[in-house]
Amino acid sequence: MFGPQGWADNYLTIEGGSVAAISSARPTDIPVVETERSLVLPGLIDLHGHPEYNIFQAWEPPKTYLNRYVWRREEPAYQILVAGPMSYLDKVAKLRPLCARYAEMRALVGGVTAIQGASASYPDPSEALVRNVDLPIFGRHKARSFVDLPCEAQATDLRAEIDSGKVDRVYIHLAEGVDQASSDEFERLCALNLLGKWTVVIHGTGLKSEQLGALRDAGAQLVWSPQSNIRLYGATTQAAEAISLEIDVGLGADWLPSGSRSLLDEVKVARRVLHAQGLNVDPRKLVEMVTSTAARIAGLDELGILKPGAPADVCVLERRHSDPDESFLASDPSAVALVAIGGDVAYARSAWWDTLFDTKAPESVTAWGTEMQLDTGFRATPLSPAAPPLSEVRKLLLAAFLGTGPIFA
């Protein structure tokens, strides 16, 4: 197992959806998977995404842009390769919820058990396949998300919800660009009275030093997506400075059109960029940016940590380095050996599955040369309906859109 001091030969016992115990003694009278000194850690938390768009393959921006409004409104390649197909899938084929399902399956097999950017197209928000931090979670719904800054009327209503305790996190795309207009969005946020400890700024690419200081003083948080920023704008957030100011910084893979294929890949980009910005970041800090720090940013401290009583959201990665932190940073989706949400095993090596269960999962898949069992019939919330199997989702999407991107590639 992976502990605060490094490797430890411990056993994680799961019971009733929670971590029951962590001990050095091998449990008796229950099935035990010997993970061969793999890395056992909390399920990863991806704090920024646009899930439905993750059915697409990577889009190669033909140039860099001043801000996100430019490519959204003016770039023909984006309209042809991304916006147009999504409009068809949404309005004509009526498959947007299925796109979100496919994206959640992609996240799951990459070790992610909670995401941000929930699909507004779910008829019932309890349908989420993995945990969505901006949908009902643990019996409460206290987060709101905005792709664009709200208008004054929306901001007034939102602030009332914050003050009454109905909302305790507000995710806002902000300052996504490199021009003055991008940094000016921070002043608009302040003018709308929406800067506080509840504020989670997504991107913040154009934030200046004094604005990062104001973010810190307000107790706000930052979610960073360096791969997408660099590909679209040729620059990214001053994350090293934010970390030095002791702002909580989390990571998000954004979306496949311009971001990373997985959160594990995004962590590698973050490490390189922080080094380029002059910060030789502690590897453990990067692990925490997608586990415990991410959970704290989301206001869900019960996630992001493995301890007795915590929800059994678990990711197991094969060992790729003698140091646990470096082993994590050397991982990609092909290293994922098991994923459980609330103790419900959704994805696991076939040999491990056979140890735990008497029957096979509903679906066997070959993932990067390894036979895996995939069970999308689990429920992220008690009210969630079972998701259709990956093969059915893929078949329906490919029938409507041949450009649907592969998951195991």
Side-chain angles (χ1 to χ4, degrees), residues 119-159:
S119 173
S121 63
Y122 284 142
D124 183 330
S126 69
E127 288 189 23
L129 180 63
V130 297
R131 300 195 195 277
N132 283 249
V133 301
D134 43 6
L135 286 181
I137 185 168
F138 300 124
R140 61 184 189 264
H141 183 189
K142 301 186 102 176
R144 300 288 187 273
S145 296
F146 293 87
V147 174
D148 297 310
L149 276 170
C151 66
E152 288 189 20
Q154 288 177 311
T156 299
D157 292 343
L158 177 60
R159 185 55 196 257

Side-chain angles (χ1 to χ4, degrees), residues 9 63 71 94 113 117 132 145 196 217 252 256 279 292 358 360 380:
D9 290 323
K63 60 182 180 180
W71 58 264
K94 308 294 184 185
T113 56
N132 283 249
S145 296
D217 294 343
L256 267 173
L279 178 62
S292 57
D358 295 330
K360 289 289 188 183

Side-chain angles (χ1 to χ4, degrees), residues 245-267:
L245 289 171
E246 299 185 349
I247 296 171
D248 274 344
V249 178
L251 285 176
D254 200 349
W255 61 347
L256 267 173
S258 63
S260 292
R261 63 169 178 162
S262 74
L263 191 58
L264 288 167
D265 292 309
E266 190 73 13
V267 174

